[in-house]
Amino acid sequence: MRPGHPQKTEVSHQSGVSIEPLNQVSLNRNKQLAVNITQVLSLYGYIADSYIIEFFTDNLWGSLPRSWTTVLSDLSAPQLADQLLAKRNAEDSGYTSVWPLSLLALKVTAHCLAFQRIPRHEIGSLDQKRPDEFRTNHCQSSLLDPLFRKHVKPKKQHEIRQLGKLVKKLSDATSCDHVVDIGSGQGHLSRVLCFGHGLRVTAVEADRNLATSAAKFDQDLMYMMRKERIRSQKSSDSEAILNLSPKPPRHILAFVNPQASWEDFLRQLGGCGVKTQLEAKGGNKMAAGSWTTVSDLCISHVCATEELVSDKPMNSQMPHNICTGNCVACSCDGGTTTGQCHLPLNKFVLTGLHACGDLSVAMLRHFARCPTIVGITSVACCYMKLTTLEEPQPPGVLANSHPGISDIQEYGYPMSSWVSGLPGHKLSYKSREVACHAIEDYMERLKGDSEILRTHCYRAVLETVIRGVEPTMKRVGVQTIKKAHKLPFKEYAKLGLKRVGLDPSTTMDETLVEHMLSQHRNVVAFFSLALLLAPLVETLILLDRMIFLQEQGFHCDVIPLFKPHFSPRNLVLVAAKASSSIGDILEEVAASDPGI
């Protein structure tokens, strides 16, 4: 909002919600972008819908315009990377033939319509595969405190540092210090938010083993912090290395049902508050320099007391005292240990690092509907696991794994009324799966003309052989064959046939096999076309989510937060309910890259 200019408020026709002018401009822009993308996908979406293993069985090369195949068949792998997939061609790039205007137009349009994938602070280091924080040590981020690097791979170090910084900014902007981390896993992000940024954190995870590991790592970190504090006191070093939080993250073992209401979600967050014997005796007081703190592993219907922080790190084999409870009131049979369910008080910010499939959708719906959620940061992944009207039960998603998940009332895509009404908005399972590929990694393989590129052709030829033996076996799963590209095809085929239950000594038409193998470059070219469209699919999915929020009057944006070479799913959706713009937050995060 510009100072000195009165602002009118418009009303969304879809929701009847008041929308501020600046938000309306963004909404209209996003709607038009969604229209443009669906028009492109209506023309060429069949490429992203295709399974590369059916290259020969379905004659995928023949589905392309002849003018395209004439040009593409002459391109080497490095030329595909530079002339097709790269947004800007290299200075020494030379076109060996005249491209048809339709192919040139698709290339330019795909790059223009897709969301920017390069963070602003990384634009000057496009040739570097790793972020600058790993320049000295490829395994240890120089910008992340050593205590947060334990048990954490470099990719995750980069992600939790960047997302933690953004969540902190959003927390400050919304005046909210409580964060709920959905799909928290082993708690790496939760610990950065809690101990690194001083926030109160509730970590929600559906896997018991991961939640248990997270609680153990919390205790290990607190033990190391205690040692560091004692060392600094002895050396008269008053500078604290971390922000001391009164308590570690509170862990909840729960499956967040995408079909559940926000009220049910809050009940899950309430869980069971556990008192330990020490607390019952009044011994859990945080005296100066004292680390007598209890981490209560709150497990939504099941609660467990954690070991007190002692002079030794928590033993990974140490059993947890688990007791059963219910969501109304919990009485734990553990001596003086008692518990009572409670709902989270006041407000909180929601975050999720690579929340899979409909889980990221559930987060957005809870944000939009729950009055106590004031902000959200969502980094999504596994778009192929989104539920749709056409595919309510995507492969890999177990319908009966949790009660009520099969009773679908709202689908994962599309979310917005606008996108659902667009012709050509439907996205197949395969197109959503292609949108999850590591495009930058594939481009590096193309640039180096890697032998690994041969794998897709091998698998496509094997698919032809399999169907020749058993026509009913289509797209049958073949477990990964290690270093398949280094094997002669006959050896690869024997291993593949055996894995699908067919006779590995099956006679193959060697002439036909050799003819298909000779089209290796065409297979690579077709897959490269699919990857050209992949960012459009991801952009449309994220646009749908933005429009869903904007239709209801919420401020939101999508920014590239991670280096895409390092973390392919690097786009984060940020939203806040406050009337003030979140632009300042995003601007500050995008422009700088400080460590913690």
Side-chain angles (χ1 to χ4, degrees):
M1 179 181 300
R2 293 183 181 180
H5 288 71
Q7 300 292 316
K8 294 183 179 180
T9 299
E10 300 186 23
V11 177
S12 168
H13 295 292
Q14 287 84 3
S15 62
V17 175
S18 297
I19 302 177
E20 296 179 1
L22 290 179
N23 201 33
Q24 185 67 49
V25 171
S26 176
L27 173 59
N28 292 339
R29 182 176 62 247
N30 288 337
K31 285 182 175 180
Q32 185 59 53
L33 182 55
V35 170
N36 295 341
I37 291 177
T38 54
Q39 289 176 345
V40 173
L41 293 179
S42 295
L43 292 174
Y44 302 112
Y46 70 91
I47 299 174
D49 294 338
S50 301
Y51 288 80
I52 197 65
I53 65 174
E54 296 178 329
F55 184 85
F56 299 110
T57 59
D58 289 17
N59 188 24
L60 297 185
W61 195 242
S63 68
L64 299 175
R66 183 177 295 274
S67 58
W68 289 22
T69 58
T70 301
V71 169
L72 294 173
S73 61
D74 289 336
L75 296 180
S76 64
Q79 288 174 323
L80 284 170
D82 178 49
Q83 299 178 15
L84 184 67
L85 293 183
K87 192 169 185 177
R88 296 179 180 178
N89 296 339
E91 295 181 358
D92 58 351
S93 174
Y95 287 84
T96 57
S97 59
V98 178
W99 284 30
L101 290 179
S102 57
L103 181 57
L104 284 173
L106 175 61
K107 171 195 170 179
V108 174
T109 302
H111 287 308
C112 289
L113 296 182
F115 280 148
Q116 170 64 256
R117 291 179 50 79
I118 308 297
R120 185 184 304 177
H121 62 268
E122 292 286 354
I123 292 179
S125 57
L126 295 180
D127 294 334
Q128 298 179 17
K129 298 180 183 179
R130 291 176 174 268
D132 285 340
E133 62 194 285
F134 295 96
R135 180 176 297 180
T136 303
N137 188 326
H138 285 183
C139 297
Q140 303 290 335
S141 168
S142 61
L143 298 178
L144 188 66
D145 191 280
L147 292 179
F148 295 128
R149 301 198 300 241
K150 190 176 182 181
H151 311 293
V152 186
K153 294 181 179 180
K155 174 178 175 291
K156 183 69 71 174
Q157 292 178 33
H158 176 61
E159 293 168 348
I160 62 177
R161 187 184 65 81
Q162 287 289 86
L163 185 56
K165 181 177 60 176
L166 176 58
V167 173
K168 173 59 175 174
K169 296 291 184 184
L170 183 59
S171 171
D172 292 342
T174 55
S175 300
C176 176
D177 68 347
H178 185 192
V179 178
V180 175
D181 181 10
I182 301 296
S184 55
Q186 298 185 75
H188 301 312
L189 174 62
S190 295
R191 279 185 292 280
V192 167
L193 294 173
C194 183
F195 298 110
H197 293 293
L199 300 173
R200 294 185 298 123
V201 179
T202 298
V204 183
E205 172 56 46
D207 188 302
R208 179 182 294 273
N209 292 330
L210 293 179
T212 302
S213 295
K216 174 192 177 299
F217 292 158
D218 292 348
Q219 299 293 340
D220 290 348
L221 182 89
M222 293 174 70
Y223 166 74
M224 295 303 297
M225 290 172 65
R226 177 180 180 276
K227 287 182 62 177
E228 182 63 23
R229 165 166 286 191
I230 294 174
R231 183 200 63 78
S232 62
Q233 289 176 345
K234 290 181 178 179
S235 61
S236 300
D237 183 5
S238 59
E239 183 179 357
I241 60 169
L242 297 173
N243 296 320
L244 176 59
S245 176
K247 284 191 176 182
R250 173 171 169 267
H251 295 278
I252 296 180
L253 180 63
F255 166 71
V256 178
N257 189 341
Q259 301 303 315
S261 66
W262 65 265
E263 293 91 345
D264 288 336
F265 176 60
L266 286 187
R267 292 188 186 96
Q268 283 185 310
L269 296 185
C272 301
V274 179
K275 288 187 177 182
T276 67
Q277 294 182 15
L278 180 62
E279 288 179 302
K281 296 177 181 178
N284 189 32
K285 297 180 179 179
M286 292 293 295
S290 171
W291 281 94
T292 312
T293 304
V294 177
S295 171
D296 54 329
L297 182 58
C298 190
I299 310 187
S300 179
H301 305 284
V302 180
C303 50
T305 58
E306 286 297 327
E307 292 296 319
L308 302 182
V309 179
S310 64
D311 290 337
K312 295 181 180 180
M314 183 175 168
N315 191 314
S316 60
Q317 302 300 320
M318 191 174 295
H320 300 292
N321 301 318
I322 297 182
C323 53
T324 60
N326 57 66
C327 210
V328 178
C330 174
S331 178
C332 305
D333 298 328
T336 57
T337 302
T338 59
Q340 182 175 339
C341 290
H342 61 280
L343 293 179
L345 301 176
N346 301 322
K347 56 187 180 179
F348 60 93
V349 170
L350 207 56
T351 189
L353 177 55
H354 293 146
C356 184
D358 278 8
L359 182 57
S360 57
V361 174
M363 291 173 55
L364 294 171
R365 287 199 172 109
H366 289 328
F367 163 78
R369 297 166 182 172
C370 179
T372 57
I373 304 177
V374 296
I376 184 173
T377 65
S378 170
V379 184
C381 70
C382 301
Y383 301 124
M384 65 281 193
K385 294 184 179 180
L386 289 170
T387 56
T388 64
L389 178 62
E390 300 74 32
E391 199 159 20
Q393 189 58 49
V397 179
L398 302 178
N400 299 321
S401 59
H402 300 281
I405 194 173
S406 59
D407 303 327
I408 298 180
Q409 300 174 355
E410 295 179 304
Y411 296 100
Y413 174 84
M415 294 184 68
S416 68
S417 58
W418 175 261
V419 172
S420 63
L422 293 178
H425 76 273
K426 296 179 182 179
L427 297 175
S428 67
Y429 172 89
K430 185 57 183 176
S431 68
R432 288 178 278 121
E433 189 269 336
V434 169
C436 294
H437 278 262
I439 301 174
E440 288 77 14
D441 183 57
Y442 193 78
M443 287 181 63
E444 290 300 319
R445 294 178 181 180
L446 289 173
K447 292 176 182 179
D449 201 6
S450 171
E451 292 182 346
I452 299 178
L453 296 172
R454 188 183 307 167
T455 305
H456 278 150
C457 185
Y458 268 24
R459 181 61 183 87
V461 177
L462 178 61
E463 184 73 9
T464 306
V465 173
I466 291 174
R467 296 191 190 186
V469 177
E470 181 50 69
T472 61
M473 297 182 70
K474 296 183 178 181
R475 303 178 194 162
V476 61
V478 179
Q479 295 179 355
T480 302
I481 299 175
K482 293 183 178 180
K483 298 183 179 180
H485 58 284
K486 294 186 177 296
L487 300 175
F489 177 77
K490 287 185 179 180
E491 186 175 345
Y492 169 84
K494 289 181 180 180
L495 294 172
L497 289 170
K498 183 178 180 180
R499 293 190 177 190
V500 299
L502 297 178
D503 184 2
S505 61
T506 297
T507 302
M508 295 178 288
D509 186 335
E510 294 188 6
T511 301
L512 177 61
V513 168
E514 287 301 321
H515 173 68
M516 289 187 290
L517 291 175
S518 67
Q519 299 183 57
H520 154 67
R521 287 171 60 169
N522 294 346
V523 177
V524 174
F526 190 93
F527 189 73
S528 297
L529 279 175
L531 289 187
L532 177 65
L533 295 172
L536 289 184
V537 176
E538 181 175 32
T539 298
L540 180 58
I541 292 173
L542 296 179
L543 271 175
D544 172 55
R545 298 176 182 186
M546 291 181 67
I547 294 172
F548 167 78
L549 295 177
Q550 290 176 324
E551 285 175 340
Q552 301 175 71
F554 300 125
H555 298 261
C556 64
D557 204 348
V558 168
I559 61 169
L561 190 62
F562 316 133
K563 191 176 182 69
H565 299 77
F566 214 53
S567 179
R569 302 281 63 77
N570 70 329
L571 298 175
V572 55
L573 191 157
V574 188
K577 290 180 179 176
S579 58
S580 60
S581 173
I582 60 174
D584 292 341
I585 304 173
L586 302 180
E587 180 71 20
E588 186 174 350
V589 171
S592 61
D593 190 29
I596 64 170

